[in-house]
Amino acid sequence: MIAQVFILSSKGDRLVYKDFRGDIGSDAVGLFYDKVTALTGDQPPVVMTHRNVHFVHVWQGGLYLVATTIAADSSPFAIIDFLNRLAALIKDYCGALSEKTVQMNFALIYELLDEMLDYGYVQSTSCDVLKNFIQTEALSSRPFSLLDLANVGLFGADTQQSKVAPSSAATRPLQGGKSEIFVDVIERMSVVMSTSGVLMKAEVEGEVKVKCFLPSCSEIRIGLNEDLSVGGSHLAGYGAAVRVDECSFHPAVRLDDFEAHRILRISPGQGEQSVMQYRLADRLPLAPPFRLFPAIEKDAAGRLLMFFKLRCDLPPKSSAVNVSASIRVPNGCISLSQELSSPDQSAELQPQNRAVVWKVPRFPGGTQLSAVFKLDIPALSSASMMEVGPVCLTFELPKVTASGLHVRFLRLVPTQHRGPTQRWVRYVTHSDSYAIRI
Amino acid sequence: MAHFDTEYQRLEASYSDSPPGEENLLMHVPEGAKSQWHHIENLDLWDLFRFSLTYFYVYNLHQKNGFTCMLLGEIFELVQLVFVVGFTVFLANCVDYDILFANKFVNHTDSSKVTLPDAFVPVDVCSARIRDNAFVIFVLMISGVFWLHRLVKFIYNVCCYWEIRSFYIHALKMTMSELPYATWQEVQARIVEIQKEHQICIHKKELTELDIYHRILRFKNYMVAMVNKSLLPVRFRLPLLGDVVFFTRGLKYNFELIFFWGPGSLFENEWSLKPEYKRGGNRLELADRLASRILWIGVANLLLCPVILVWQILYAFFSYTEVIKREPGSLGARCWSLYGRCYLRHFNELDHELMSRLSKGYKAASKYMNCFLSPLLTVVAKNVAFFAGSLLAVLIALTIYDEDVLAVEHVLSSITLLGVCITVCRSFIPDKHMVFCPKQLLRVILAHIHYMPDHWQGNAHRYETRDQFSQVFQYKAVRQNCLKLLSPVVTPIILIFCLRRKSLEIIDFFRNFTVEVVGVGDTCSFAQMDIRQHGHPAWMSEGKTEASIYQQAEDGKTELSLMHFAITNPQWQPPRETTHFISQLKERVQREATGAPSDAHPLSLSESEPRSLIANLLVAPSTLASVHFGRDGSSSGHAVVASDAVAALRSLSPISSSLPLRGSFSAAYRTAGHASTMNRTMAGSGTDARTLSSGSSAWEAQLTSLVLSEYASTEMSIHALYIHELHKQQSRCDALSRHTWHRQESDESSDSIPDEVKSVSGSRYKHFPRSHTFPTTVPSPTAIPSSASEGAAAPETMSSRQGDGKVTRSARVPMGGWAEESHQSAPRRPESLPEESSEDEMPPHVHKVALKN
């Protein structure tokens, strides 16, 4: 049972506060914030205790979602799950989870909390159940833009606009709007690579998410690659097959056709669901997207010279965006001078992290970038040369899946609901941790 | 979910996205589920619709030479309509004819001259007269509604064309000013390019030329196929007139209204047949429904008949009186009839291609028709012309002496009438220098029009042939206008009494011959030009075709269309079966040609007469005796193909004396296919095909696409002749009456005979060229009977000759670029085969395109 639920902004402002049982005072909010900020490091512990009050929080979208309890027998995992669920519901109802949307929709969130919890006991967290009780309309902060009008073409010969939707299209409140389905195939990549380019560890964790804006939908079918093989069973063959090592599905997914045709059948409710999660280790079908060719030396003036060539091994048609390489440098760096191969790149020294961050907004496949960094380090020794590295990359690869998984089709089994349904798919591979040793 | 910048892509509703088990349901014969499915997906189909229209508009805009021309043309059409109605009403109501004819005098104070404004009725009287006349009001109202309809359509069109204009400018990067000078092939190549980059058609990765053609010509292909299978009631056997073809614009409009786009037509929209018509279950019921609709449309036609008739008369009057006055000879001019255009059209042939082809054949065709002037008529015409001429001469002489003669009543009109009379008569008097050579002319015509019923061949000199030919090639002013005027009356009769009876056949036709192609929609399966599906065993596709008689396209239409399409679109990658057919045909010709130079003697033919050489080629295969004729014929300019080729060559090579050019020049003669010329080339410059093509590479830069298309048309001509020749032999060899033969046995696998023919032709050939290479000795009495009368021996020799004509064409130099391409593409194709092999195993009606994204 949960005594209080509150949502704090990252600055400690109390956005939403609801007390269910009244056995803890409202000073718990300040207490919690003090405890969180008092801790150093990135992530404070999820469960904290002050006297006999237990604070459980999740950190999502720049907000602290906190539940407190004094009952010693309540399960922390149940509370964590509840908070995650609350975050997801806020996302579904308000479009996104951020300080702004929470501020705009606090009435809606209170209403949600009222329905979800009764005297601290969880009643329901299902979006479909809750929508019968929720009356408040979500407010959306989407500004009016001329771009939306541009989509209205008469006979428009260029369909480019109607073929893509911005990534923010999926972050809108559930009610109203067009009936659309968004499918996300998101893969996280963890790679550790040696200097010579040998993969020491490579792992891809993927997820297929469906965000459904249909008021009613009896069943959708998602067809994945027909040559998808799960586990090592089909390892022979020509190697073209898409392989995942293991996968798990949402309990609601019916897998009748999965063996034969790789079709997932699901009756989604409104909102976002993670339909399938999968993992692929070691043998990636694609070459790792980035390779680094470093050269590090000490010049005559006693400065540390670092030459980097970064090559993007994606197919030429795709490209990586928001690439950022963080290069760990020795202690005591004073200044950085840089030579970058194009003006849109940037690099800066972050002394507190001991890192040089090199940012490339857009990196087309098959190209190579080079950079020269000169670091002034007063006490440069050969030992401190060893402190250079590793290089950690963060990036986003639009329209690429590292595993090769694709959505072949998405079909709706027709219901009474008529009218155009737009279906969108997005493939993203992003870096979980992509480290290259030097 | 973390924030990503990646955009969402639309997930297309492709037809290929259904799971394997449901393919039949969703692709081939859609059951009830599909219509709903369509409904939900209609956004995607909207794209399809838009683009099926787009290509049509893109083509139209290109044909109309850009936006401004199109706009002006449409505006003037609207103005013309207003003018015709307004002027007619004015003439009927507001002119005082008594004053004009001077039956009534006007009393002017100052002068006695009658001016035009005097003849006009005052405005108030005039408007009162119009207001009182209910009929005029009725006509005005109807035309007003019609005009408004046109106006709305015009505005809609302008909107569409404006979009297309921006499509041209932004996507295809062509300005409107350069559009009239770009060929359609260029535009098309750019579209294909664009598709690769931007995926303007969302259902397919790559657009082929065939897809674009399908979209532009969807309904026309159906019409061509229906005419080909004689489904449409356009031929009638009338008691007095004999065989008559009645096919007018109005009738065609009605057909289209019924089948394609009218309310309740077979097509539910621009691209797909209504689902119920795709199922065989309730065909009888559908046929009933169609019959009743035809009946209603027929009745509507009957009701509107007077209005249309009046309109036709007025329009004909306004548009033709001026022409007849100016050049009365145009009364005797002929043009290709509407039926002819349907009959002669290949599947997937665009308007401009057809028109250029037919225009090239025009001269020969009109000459051919002129060969048949009846001597009786000639005598009468000569005398009438004499008498009329003498009267005219006297009148003119008198006028010159004193022009007051003109003031005498009816002198001016009689001069005009006599002039018209003389011109008409003159058209019946044959040219003094004309040579009667129907056979050759018919061959030249065939080279351009590509289609011809079997029984014309060898009967070129007969009146029956001429009469039948006149059905496709008729008098423009007289016959066509008569038909036009008759049309409003006859059309409802045809609809009600003839077409209605065929409704069941029509339903069956649309069901059986409609395939759904991904990204294109429903198209006529004939237009797929699949030899296996629709080939005719008597037209070179025996063994390859699996078509039943019902499925075979008549007159070798599938085969010829295929060749035509492959030649006009050299970049097109046909499916495997088809590639096989094309390459086999080419190979066959090549083989027969390579035999020629080895055996042929170096010749001492006069170089000065290239025309006659080429004419020989065209003429020789038909009969040996014609070689003799061919010279005459060519000297009088009959060999149109030849002169085309030569003219093209000449225009190309102002410096034809330089050596490489010379090589290619002579190679171009090889194009036209004369063995002796080829020999000279071989002997003179020591070239073989390779050096020729290398010589040609120097040329290629200079070759404009126009010239290329010229050569393409020549190539197609020769192919058409070759195919026809082969068909003739074969039908002679196999059975005397092809019709009974192929109608009775549906699927015979008589591969043996053609194979035999081929092999014999190879061996026999060696004996033949001797006579061939000495054209002067050719008309020897021994050679003629063997070739002309006996079916067995002669045809092979013919084919071989015809063959080398064709072969040389493929190796000829100005086409070197193409020849190289085809050599390259030959090895390329097998590589692409494995991908396509899966398609081949599928039922041919299902076309599946893998969706990559």
Side-chain angles (χ1 to χ4, degrees):
Chain A
M1 90 195 126
I2 294 166
Q4 294 165 317
V5 173
F6 50 89
I7 299 175
L8 299 186
S9 74
S10 55
K11 292 192 212 73
D13 302 330
R14 195 173 72 178
L15 302 176
V16 170
Y17 170 82
K18 184 142 183 95
D19 195 341
F20 289 95
R21 298 181 67 85
D23 39 15
I24 307 172
S26 62
D27 56 335
V29 178
L31 248 167
F32 169 78
Y33 191 70
D34 290 343
K35 276 188 89 70
V36 166
T37 45
L39 290 166
T40 54
D42 285 349
Q43 285 186 311
V46 171
V47 181
M48 291 177 293
T49 310
H50 178 77
R51 302 222 186 85
N52 60 343
V53 182
H54 307 282
F55 297 93
V56 182
H57 84 277
V58 294
W59 163 257
Q60 276 202 17
L63 299 173
Y64 296 100
L65 281 76
V66 193
T68 59
T69 178
I70 48 170
D73 58 343
S74 55
S75 154
F77 290 107
I79 298 177
I80 293 170
D81 204 36
F82 165 78
L83 290 174
N84 279 326
R85 193 65 208 136
L86 175 66
L89 279 172
I90 293 174
K91 241 192 256 179
D92 285 348
Y93 275 94
C94 308
L97 181 62
S98 70
E99 194 176 329
K100 195 177 175 194
T101 51
V102 171
Q103 269 174 342
M104 286 172 73
N105 294 297
F106 69 94
L108 175 66
I109 294 170
Y110 277 118
E111 201 177 350
L112 267 175
L113 283 173
D114 273 342
E115 301 296 341
M116 286 167 80
L117 294 168
D118 189 19
Y119 203 57
Y121 293 95
V122 178
Q123 302 298 309
S124 171
T125 59
S126 154
C127 181
D128 284 335
V129 173
L130 286 172
K131 90 180 163 196
N132 299 322
F133 310 117
I134 303 296
Q135 305 298 330
T136 317
E137 289 278 318
L139 299 173
S140 175
S141 63
R142 181 84 58 83
F144 173 81
S145 91
L146 277 176
L147 275 177
D148 296 339
L149 286 185
N151 285 335
V152 188
L154 184 54
F155 306 98
D158 48 338
T159 47
Q160 208 57 35
Q161 278 163 338
S162 59
K163 275 186 66 192
V164 296
S167 60
S168 59
T171 58
R172 62 177 174 87
L174 276 183
Q175 292 105 329
K178 291 175 279 190
S179 49
E180 290 176 310
I181 293 188
F182 293 89
V183 178
D184 279 302
V185 180
I186 292 169
E187 300 195 339
R188 289 187 301 161
M189 210 177 198
S190 318
V191 168
V192 177
M193 205 190 279
S194 74
T195 319
S196 55
V198 178
L199 279 181
M200 304 171 81
K201 177 194 156 197
E203 197 174 271
V204 169
E205 284 176 52
E207 193 175 14
V208 179
K209 284 186 184 172
V210 172
K211 186 154 190 183
C212 177
F213 287 101
L214 300 181
S216 66
C217 181
S218 63
E219 186 180 83
I220 63 172
R221 295 170 172 218
I222 303 173
L224 303 176
N225 310 39
E226 270 184 289
D227 52 359
L228 174 72
S229 68
V230 179
S233 53
H234 306 285
L235 276 186
Y238 294 103
V242 174
R243 179 181 62 90
V244 299
D245 283 338
E246 53 198 55
C247 59
S248 62
F249 302 95
H250 191 277
V253 175
R254 265 159 297 156
L255 297 170
D256 309 349
D257 291 338
F258 186 71
E259 277 307 311
H261 304 310
R262 301 298 177 201
I263 293 171
L264 306 174
R265 294 165 61 188
I266 183 170
S267 311
Q270 279 185 308
E272 188 172 286
Q273 272 125 345
S274 169
V275 173
M276 174 185 175
Q277 288 175 317
Y278 55 93
R279 218 179 116 255
L280 172 62
D282 295 336
R283 291 180 303 270
L284 300 185
L286 287 173
F290 295 100
R291 275 204 63 184
L292 186 75
F293 303 96
I296 293 164
E297 57 188 54
K298 209 164 101 175
D299 75 348
R303 286 183 300 184
L304 184 67
L305 279 185
M306 301 194 290
F307 301 96
F308 290 112
K309 267 191 208 165
L310 188 60
R311 194 178 75 201
C312 182
D313 286 335
L314 291 173
K317 277 187 180 167
S318 44
S319 60
V321 297
N322 299 337
V323 181
S324 140
S326 156
I327 306 148
R328 198 152 168 92
V329 293
N331 248 332
C333 281
I334 298 170
S335 67
L336 166 76
S337 67
Q338 69 217 27
E339 277 176 47
L340 301 173
S341 53
S342 70
D344 54 341
Q345 302 168 35
S346 66
E348 61 171 340
L349 178 69
Q350 292 177 341
Q352 75 278 14
N353 297 336
R354 289 171 53 203
V356 171
V357 179
W358 174 21
K359 285 189 173 158
V360 184
R362 187 179 170 77
F363 197 172
T367 57
Q368 187 165 296
L369 299 178
S370 57
V372 181
F373 299 112
K374 289 178 193 167
L375 291 163
D376 271 329
I377 304 173
L380 185 67
S381 63
S382 56
S384 62
M385 295 272 289
M386 301 300 287
E387 288 181 49
V388 175
V391 176
C392 288
L393 275 87
T394 58
F395 52 82
E396 181 185 333
L397 309 179
K399 300 176 192 174
V400 172
T401 50
S403 61
L405 190 86
H406 270 253
V407 174
R408 217 163 13 114
F409 62 84
L410 179 111
R411 281 189 29 224
L412 300 152
V413 174
T415 55
Q416 291 80 8
H417 163 72
R418 287 274 174 93
T421 304
Q422 304 193 34
R423 293 155 308 160
W424 305 93
V425 69
R426 165 168 85 163
Y427 304 102
V428 186
T429 298
H430 66 114
S431 56
D432 191 19
S433 78
Y434 195 98
I436 304 172
R437 292 188 183 167
I438 294 179
Chain B
M1 188 193 318
H3 179 75
F4 296 111
D5 287 343
T6 310
E7 291 169 324
Y8 283 95
Q9 300 156 271
R10 185 183 284 280
L11 198 61
E12 288 100 15
S14 171
Y15 300 107
S16 64
D17 69 9
S18 55
E22 296 173 30
E23 254 161 12
N24 295 339
L25 183 74
L26 286 166
M27 290 165 133
H28 189 194
V29 190
E31 298 291 339
K34 180 157 177 190
S35 61
Q36 293 174 335
W37 193 64
H38 264 238
H39 228 87
I40 291 179
E41 316 290 294
N42 65 5
L43 247 169
D44 304 291
L45 289 177
W46 169 241
D47 273 344
L48 182 64
F49 163 67
R50 213 162 50 180
F51 286 106
S52 68
L53 274 188
T54 301
Y55 289 122
F56 181 70
Y57 284 121
V58 167
Y59 178 69
N60 262 2
L61 194 61
H62 175 258
Q63 289 304 304
K64 287 179 182 167
N65 296 326
F67 187 73
T68 326
C69 293
M70 194 276 319
L71 197 68
L72 266 184
E74 298 239 322
I75 289 174
F76 276 124
E77 240 172 73
L78 283 176
V79 172
Q80 203 179 37
L81 218 137
V82 174
F83 176 78
V84 168
V85 173
F87 193 51
T88 315
V89 171
F90 173 78
L91 284 184
N93 292 302
C94 301
V95 176
D96 195 341
Y97 289 96
D98 284 340
I99 294 176
L100 212 57
F101 298 147
N103 296 342
K104 195 166 85 180
F105 289 102
V106 266
N107 37 354
H108 282 290
T109 48
D110 45 350
S111 79
S112 60
K113 295 255 183 200
V114 177
T115 54
L116 266 183
D118 289 336
F120 299 157
V121 177
V123 179
D124 46 342
V125 179
C126 174
S127 56
R129 217 191 272 181
I130 291 174
R131 232 173 288 131
D132 293 343
N133 195 338
F135 178 72
V136 174
I137 296 287
F138 174 71
V139 167
L140 278 180
M141 265 167 57
I142 285 197
S143 44
V145 167
F146 182 64
W147 192 80
L148 276 181
H149 166 243
R150 288 283 295 264
L151 185 72
V152 169
K153 215 167 140 188
F154 165 74
I155 292 168
Y156 175 80
N157 274 349
V158 167
C159 289
C160 290
Y161 281 120
W162 185 255
E163 294 278 337
I164 297 303
R165 183 178 164 275
S166 59
F167 175 74
Y168 264 109
I169 291 174
H170 299 300
L172 299 186
K173 307 254 183 305
M174 298 173 93
T175 59
M176 282 297 114
S177 55
E178 67 189 67
L179 191 57
Y181 310 106
T183 63
W184 171 247
Q185 305 294 339
E186 282 170 30
V187 175
Q188 191 176 293
R190 290 199 193 198
I191 293 177
V192 172
E193 252 340 278
I194 283 287
Q195 164 71 5
K196 279 181 195 151
E197 272 176 45
H198 295 300
Q199 285 258 318
I200 49 174
C201 163
I202 55 173
H203 297 271
K204 266 190 155 176
K205 251 217 144 121
E206 290 198 3
L207 270 175
T208 64
E209 287 83 357
L210 192 61
D211 294 333
I212 299 175
Y213 273 65
H214 273 326
R215 287 180 172 202
I216 298 172
L217 293 170
R218 191 191 312 273
F219 296 147
K220 294 218 165 108
N221 279 331
Y222 272 111
M223 287 302 272
V224 170
M226 280 194 279
V227 168
N228 183 260
K229 297 298 287 180
S230 344
L231 192 66
L232 295 180
V234 290
R235 285 178 164 279
F236 304 97
R237 186 168 284 282
L238 295 182
L240 282 178
L241 298 167
D243 243 355
V244 167
V245 169
F246 185 88
F247 193 51
T248 59
R249 215 166 278 278
L251 191 59
K252 190 176 159 212
Y253 183 86
N254 271 300
F255 284 153
E256 287 172 354
L257 186 78
I258 289 166
F259 299 140
F260 302 129
W261 49 265
S265 65
L266 271 60
F267 276 74
E268 66 180 344
N269 41 38
E270 285 279 338
W271 68 91
S272 67
L273 199 61
K274 280 184 189 155
E276 62 260 34
Y277 289 98
K278 294 180 185 171
R279 267 171 290 148
N282 46 355
R283 56 194 274 269
L284 292 175
E285 184 197 320
L286 289 173
D288 278 349
R289 221 198 292 169
L290 181 68
S292 70
R293 219 187 48 254
I294 292 171
L295 179 67
W296 282 117
I297 290 183
V299 169
N301 261 291
L302 210 56
L303 291 179
L304 286 177
C305 159
V307 179
I308 303 170
L309 193 65
V310 167
W311 170 257
Q312 293 279 23
I313 290 171
L314 287 178
Y315 191 81
F317 178 76
F318 287 128
S319 51
Y320 285 103
T321 15
E322 190 269 337
V323 176
I324 289 171
K325 171 84 177 59
R326 188 157 37 88
E327 38 177 344
S330 65
L331 273 182
R334 292 169 172 275
C335 67
W336 299 99
S337 67
L338 203 59
Y339 171 75
R341 278 184 224 169
C342 265
Y343 173 76
L344 299 175
R345 192 176 197 141
H346 291 293
F347 294 120
N348 300 319
E349 186 174 30
L350 292 170
D351 289 339
H352 73 278
E353 292 168 355
L354 177 73
M355 285 325 291
S356 74
R357 189 156 72 84
L358 292 185
S359 312
K360 278 178 195 153
Y362 180 83
K363 220 173 174 181
S366 57
K367 276 215 165 93
Y368 176 75
M369 294 308 282
N370 286 342
C371 285
F372 287 92
L373 289 176
S374 113
L376 195 72
L377 214 59
T378 308
V379 173
V380 173
K382 267 183 185 163
N383 285 296
V384 171
F386 172 73
F387 293 124
S390 43
L391 278 178
L392 187 66
V394 169
L395 282 178
I396 289 174
L398 284 177
T399 315
I400 291 169
Y401 179 70
D402 185 352
E403 49 186 51
D404 277 345
V405 177
L406 280 180
V408 177
E409 204 173 12
H410 293 312
V411 164
L412 198 61
S413 48
S414 42
I415 286 178
T416 314
L417 276 183
L418 287 172
V420 169
C421 177
I422 288 170
T423 331
V424 169
C425 287
R426 202 176 293 149
S427 69
F428 289 105
I429 302 169
D431 188 1
K432 230 182 265 176
H433 311 291
M434 191 138 91
V435 183
F436 186 73
C437 48
K439 206 165 252 178
Q440 268 53 61
L441 282 173
L442 203 62
R443 179 155 287 277
V444 175
I445 294 169
L446 176 63
H448 288 296
I449 65 174
H450 302 168
Y451 293 104
M452 195 168 272
D454 296 335
H455 56 270
W456 288 9
Q457 297 220 348
N459 292 328
H461 53 284
R462 290 195 161 185
Y463 253 92
E464 292 82 42
T465 311
R466 182 228 176 246
D467 284 345
Q468 284 173 3
F469 186 64
S470 73
Q471 288 168 354
V472 298
F473 191 66
Q474 57 193 195
Y475 283 116
K476 189 169 164 190
V478 182
R479 189 83 178 267
Q480 226 157 341
N481 278 331
C482 285
L483 284 182
K484 237 185 221 170
L485 295 184
L486 268 180
S487 167
V489 185
V490 180
T491 300
I493 297 173
I494 289 180
L495 288 182
I496 293 173
F497 294 107
C498 301
L499 188 67
R500 210 151 56 92
R501 248 183 281 146
K502 297 216 170 193
S503 57
L504 187 60
E505 287 174 54
I506 291 167
I507 294 287
D508 286 343
F509 177 88
F510 275 95
R511 192 183 62 247
N512 289 325
F513 298 121
T514 295
V515 290
E516 189 170 331
V517 183
V518 175
V520 180
D522 288 335
T523 56
C524 182
S525 66
F526 283 107
Q528 294 285 317
M529 302 186 296
D530 189 350
I531 296 290
R532 198 173 58 179
Q533 280 267 307
H534 297 297
H536 198 300
W539 291 86
M540 301 201 49
S541 51
E542 68 278 275
K544 293 184 209 75
T545 173
E546 292 163 10
S548 65
I549 291 168
Y550 181 52
Q551 290 173 325
Q552 291 161 3
E554 303 298 322
D555 301 319
K557 198 139 212 156
T558 315
E559 290 80 4
L560 280 164
S561 299
L562 179 63
M563 281 318 292
H564 179 261
F565 192 80
I567 286 171
T568 46
N569 294 285
Q571 271 89 29
W572 179 55
Q573 292 260 327
R576 186 169 59 176
E577 290 273 320
T578 314
T579 319
H580 187 64
F581 174 78
I582 295 172
S583 59
Q584 202 186 353
L585 182 63
K586 284 191 171 162
E587 191 187 321
R588 196 160 161 179
V589 169
Q590 211 138 19
R591 194 182 47 208
E592 286 169 7
T594 44
S598 63
D599 268 32
H601 299 293
L603 253 211
S604 56
L605 255 175
S606 68
E607 226 174 304
S608 60
E609 277 200 348
R611 277 186 163 204
S612 67
L613 297 182
I614 296 159
N616 275 353
L617 145 265
L618 281 172
V619 157
S622 62
T623 54
L624 297 173
S626 63
V627 172
H628 167 67
F629 166 75
R631 308 187 128 212
D632 300 352
S634 65
S635 58
S636 60
H638 283 166
V640 180
V641 180
S643 55
D644 278 351
V646 170
L649 275 176
R650 282 192 182 148
S651 65
L652 267 177
S653 62
I655 41 161
S656 63
S657 51
S658 76
L659 191 67
L661 291 185
R662 189 179 175 76
S664 44
F665 195 71
S666 43
Y669 291 143
R670 294 177 43 165
T671 301
H674 201 274
S676 59
T677 342
M678 193 152 66
N679 279 335
R680 236 177 331 97
T681 314
M682 304 276 293
S685 55
T687 46
D688 56 4
R690 240 171 299 129
T691 52
L692 278 177
S693 62
S694 70
S696 74
S697 62
W699 266 56
E700 268 165 46
Q702 303 174 8
L703 288 181
T704 60
S705 58
L706 203 69
V707 176
L708 278 180
S709 74
E710 195 67 31
Y711 281 120
S713 77
T714 315
E715 181 178 21
M716 185 57 213
S717 300
I718 291 165
H719 275 240
L721 285 177
Y722 178 71
I723 291 176
H724 270 276
E725 199 63 42
L726 220 71
H727 168 65
K728 196 168 89 185
Q729 289 171 29
Q730 198 175 322
S731 50
R732 272 201 208 153
C733 289
D734 289 352
L736 282 174
S737 62
R738 180 182 78 88
H739 283 275
T740 53
W741 164 69
H742 90 265
R743 301 253 181 226
Q744 281 164 10
E745 302 166 61
S746 61
D747 53 347
E748 78 295 90
S749 54
S750 58
D751 286 8
S752 56
I753 298 172
D755 278 345
E756 201 176 74
V757 172
K758 270 186 262 167
S759 61
V760 173
S761 74
S763 60
R764 275 213 156 228
Y765 183 70
K766 309 202 165 175
H767 307 288
F768 186 68
R770 225 146 274 167
S771 61
H772 170 55
T773 47
F774 290 102
T776 45
T777 65
V778 161
S780 67
T782 52
I784 297 170
S786 73
S787 67
S789 58
E790 288 181 11
E796 291 104 26
T797 57
M798 286 190 206
S799 82
S800 56
R801 276 172 153 224
Q802 188 73 350
D804 57 63
K806 206 218 128 170
V807 173
T808 42
R809 141 99 214 64
S810 64
R812 96 188 123 162
V813 170
M815 300 290 294
W818 292 18
E820 277 172 17
E821 263 181 33
S822 66
H823 288 309
Q824 285 167 1
S825 62
R828 215 189 307 139
R829 273 173 198 145
E831 285 170 32
S832 65
L833 286 184
E835 298 168 14
E836 291 170 355
S837 59
S838 62
E839 280 185 18
D840 289 340
E841 271 129 42
M842 265 185 255
H845 276 256
V846 180
H847 292 260
K848 188 174 181 178
V849 172
L851 186 74
K852 282 285 158 61
N853 297 3

